């Protein structure tokens, strides 16, 4: 038997600044780098051809990319 | 509407604690596509197309319980829906398209708390999932709609 849940949820739409901050948070938490640093390294093709799942945090950070692009 | 990708992230990427089951992480990329109301039985002027998803459950000790991934548009050579299970999380288990509801169902089966009962929760998930199952353009990467859905409107 599952315990009863007692929580509410809401959908928050982020503005440009909030989205950039959220992306930075995700990149730092998942990969230990800043959001701008991730973007530079992504654009430089650092992970091109790699299995994304082999790089810690890369899938989660990439998935959040539309927050800033 | 634009054809740009959007994303939603549960708790801004911090995940959601689901009791003794651990922490559930969920993110989806999607785009909103203009469509003619006469082209669909719901008479809607737009539809949403999924571009990728990540549903991960981590146990209370922080180790992965399972990972449900599809990152079609990424740089990775693995572009079809797949699963990861411990102990070797680098293995990709190919699967059909997975839904957010399936991930939640797996969380419940792992012991995640629910508001009423597991049976009621599973019924609600089935109701929520049904429109997607009815209207989605592909289920398997082998379906004709897969390439069309994943290539149309790509930047």
């Amino acid at each position: 038997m599952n315990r009863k849940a007692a929580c509410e949820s809401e959908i928050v739409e982020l503005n440009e600044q909030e989205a950039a901050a959220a992306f930075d948070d995700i990149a730092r938490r998942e990969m230990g780098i800043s959001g701008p640093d991730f973007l530079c390294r992504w654009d430089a093709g650092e992970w091109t051809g790699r299995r994304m799942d082999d790089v810690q945090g890369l899938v989660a950070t990439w998935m959040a990319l539309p927050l800033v692009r | 509407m634009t054809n740009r990708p959007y994303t939603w992230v549960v708790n801004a990427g911090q995940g959601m604690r689901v009791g003794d089951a651990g922490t559930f992480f969920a993110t989806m990329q999607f785009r909103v596509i203009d469509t003619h109301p006469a082209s669909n039985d719901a008479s809607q002027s737009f539809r949403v197309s999924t571009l990728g998803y990540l549903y991960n459950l981590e146990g209370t000790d922080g180790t992965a319980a399972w990972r449900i991934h599809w990152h079609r548009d990424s740089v990775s050579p693995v572009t079809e829906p797949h699963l990861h299970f411990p102990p070797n999380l680098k293995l990709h288990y190919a699967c059909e398209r997975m839904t957010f509801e399936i991930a939640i169902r797996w969380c419940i089966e792992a012991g995640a708390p629910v508001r009423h009962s597991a049976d009621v929760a599973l019924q609600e998930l089935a109701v929520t999932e049904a429109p997607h199952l009815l209207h989605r353009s592909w289920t398997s990467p082998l379906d004709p709609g897969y390439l069309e859905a994943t290539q149309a409107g790509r930047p």
Side-chain angles (χ1 to χ4, degrees):
Chain A
M1 177 65 71
N2 291 285
R3 289 191 301 113
K4 303 294 185 188
C7 64
E8 299 298 331
S9 62
E10 61 177 335
I11 297 172
V12 179
E13 187 171 352
L14 304 180
N15 63 33
E16 191 171 330
Q17 291 73 31
E18 291 168 336
F23 183 77
D24 187 67
D25 285 345
I26 291 170
R28 290 180 187 278
R29 183 169 51 251
E30 296 291 337
M31 301 187 71
I33 60 178
S34 70
D37 188 19
F38 175 87
L39 294 176
C40 287
R41 294 166 67 172
W42 177 266
D43 290 343
E46 178 169 332
W47 301 291
T48 300
R50 295 279 303 274
R51 289 181 176 229
M52 293 184 74
D53 305 283
D54 289 352
V55 182
Q56 177 65 37
L58 182 55
V59 174
T61 307
W62 173 82
M63 200 64 69
L65 200 52
L67 288 171
V68 291
R69 292 209 164 152
Chain B
M1 297 290 177
T2 68
N3 200 35
R4 61 155 296 178
Y6 294 90
T7 191
W8 59 252
V9 186
V10 168
N11 281 347
Q14 298 181 55
M16 175 183 175
R17 184 64 192 262
V18 285
D20 293 340
T23 305
F24 177 54
F25 298 84
T27 308
M28 177 183 283
Q29 284 191 10
F30 63 96
R31 67 174 185 259
V32 181
I33 300 172
D34 289 326
T35 187
H36 196 284
S39 70
N40 61 89
D41 55 13
S43 300
Q44 295 295 318
S45 57
F46 64 88
R47 65 183 179 88
V48 174
S49 181
T50 307
L51 299 176
Y53 53 70
L54 171 153
Y55 310 130
N56 292 348
L57 180 66
E58 290 185 357
T60 52
D61 61 356
T63 60
W66 43 257
R67 295 174 178 172
I68 303 173
H69 289 175
W70 178 48
H71 32 84
R72 167 71 178 80
D73 229 12
S74 67
V75 296
S76 175
V78 180
T79 59
E80 298 182 346
H82 58 272
L83 309 171
H84 301 275
F85 297 103
N88 188 350
L89 292 168
K90 292 186 177 181
L91 291 179
H92 296 71
Y93 294 94
C95 62
E96 294 191 337
R97 184 178 187 174
M98 303 293 273
T99 64
F100 187 46
E101 287 81 2
I102 288 175
I104 295 173
R105 197 174 300 140
W106 285 15
C107 287
I108 294 172
E109 290 169 356
V114 294
R115 189 179 300 275
H116 301 293
S117 70
D119 286 345
V120 170
L122 295 176
Q123 289 173 13
E124 291 179 349
L125 283 172
V127 170
T128 304
E129 186 183 43
H132 167 74
L133 297 180
L134 182 63
H135 293 290
R136 69 183 181 183
S137 59
W138 64 275
T139 298
S140 162
L142 301 177
D143 289 344
Y146 178 71
L147 279 181
E148 180 182 349
T150 55
Q151 291 181 345
R154 290 294 185 202

